[in-house]
């Protein structure tokens, strides 16, 4: 009888352990799903604010110490310098409309940072965007974003020829003496 009682307690304890473990796993999946939704919404709203020329919302989605790298080799901005450069365009209603066609989001181990890449439909044709977000004070902020036009492999030589002269000047100016 004593052995039977012990066996029942062990079985009940094991069942509780398994069920509580499953609950945590399900909760973890829900938490990850919620975080991914928040991240996607942050990026979608950021793009939407650019399309609507809402400068305050657009720059407000970026971290104060954020970086924006544009399509031109000279376009490397801090949030402050990007804000100053972009404000006149937004004031004239000339924001940009980047529509995500496909996005991949990756969540860091501590769930306070994430990175993503996306294929975009833009006025320049297909572009690729990639970035890093961090959650601070309950809000996801964009810390780093890179926008690049895509170049089909079969057109690479033609594109290289078109930009060779400008690339050469930049390479010369940035190369060590």
């Amino acid at each position: 009888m004593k052995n039977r009682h012990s066996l029942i307690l062990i079985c009940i304890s094991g069942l509780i352990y398994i069920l509580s473990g499953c609950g945590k796993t399900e909760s973890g999946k829900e938490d990850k799903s919620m975080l991914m939704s928040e991240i996607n919404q942050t990026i979608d709203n950021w793009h939407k604010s650019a399309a609507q020329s809402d400068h305050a919302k657009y720059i407000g989605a970026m971290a104060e110490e954020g970086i924006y790298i544009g399509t031109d080799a000279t376009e490397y901005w801090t949030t402050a310098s990007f804000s100053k450069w972009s404000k006149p365009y937004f004031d004239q209603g000339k924001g940009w409309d980047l529509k995500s066609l496909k996005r991949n989001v990756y969540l860091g181990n501590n769930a306070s940072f994430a990175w993503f890449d996306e294929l975009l439909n833009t006025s320049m044709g297909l572009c690729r965007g990639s970035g890093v977000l961090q959650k601070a004070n309950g809000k996801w902020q964009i810390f780093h974003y890179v926008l690049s036009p895509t170049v089909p492999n079969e057109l690479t030589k033609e594109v290289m020829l078109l930009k060779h002269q400008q690339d050469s000047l930049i390479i010369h100016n940035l190369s060590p003496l």
Side-chain angles (χ1 to χ4, degrees):
M1 187 67 123
K2 197 175 200 181
N3 286 342
R4 187 175 176 192
H5 184 66
S6 295
L7 183 58
I8 292 171
L9 284 175
I10 290 171
C11 287
I12 291 172
S13 296
L15 185 59
I16 291 170
Y17 177 76
I18 290 169
L19 290 175
S20 66
C22 288
K24 287 180 185 171
T25 301
E26 287 302 314
S27 175
K29 285 182 183 175
E30 288 175 23
D31 290 345
K32 183 177 180 181
S33 176
M34 184 179 74
L35 289 170
M36 298 296 263
S37 178
E38 289 175 3
I39 293 164
N40 278 304
Q41 193 65 47
T42 298
I43 301 165
D44 288 343
N45 287 341
W46 189 54
H47 289 323
K48 184 179 179 183
S49 62
Q52 296 173 343
S53 295
D54 189 334
H55 188 261
K57 280 186 184 176
Y58 187 77
I59 295 300
M62 296 178 68
E64 190 174 321
E65 60 274 20
I67 299 294
Y68 187 100
I69 299 174
T71 58
D72 188 285
T74 63
E75 295 178 328
Y76 182 93
W77 290 296
T78 63
T79 297
S81 62
F82 189 55
S83 175
K84 184 177 178 180
W85 175 84
S86 63
K87 184 141 177 36
Y89 293 98
F90 279 68
D91 287 349
Q92 296 171 30
K94 295 181 180 178
W96 39 90
D97 193 3
L98 309 181
K99 288 187 176 25
S100 183
L101 299 171
K102 180 181 180 196
R103 182 181 296 145
N104 301 299
V105 178
Y106 309 92
L107 193 58
N109 289 338
N110 66 2
S112 67
F113 75 95
W115 62 99
F116 68 97
D117 57 79
E118 58 187 348
L119 192 59
L120 301 158
N121 181 5
T122 78
S123 62
M124 297 178 283
L126 286 177
C127 284
R128 182 151 324 266
S130 62
V132 176
L133 296 96
Q134 185 171 4
K135 193 170 191 175
N137 301 319
K139 179 184 172 192
W140 286 100
Q141 291 185 304
I142 297 165
F143 270 76
H144 195 267
Y145 190 75
V146 179
L147 180 64
S148 306
T150 61
V151 178
N153 290 332
E154 60 272 10
L155 298 178
T156 300
K157 285 183 181 179
E158 290 176 56
V159 172
M160 288 171 54
L161 286 172
L162 288 170
K163 63 189 212 100
H164 175 74
Q165 185 176 3
Q166 189 174 9
D167 283 0
S168 295
L169 291 171
I170 293 170
I171 290 168
H172 175 75
N173 288 334
L174 295 176
S175 293
L177 297 175

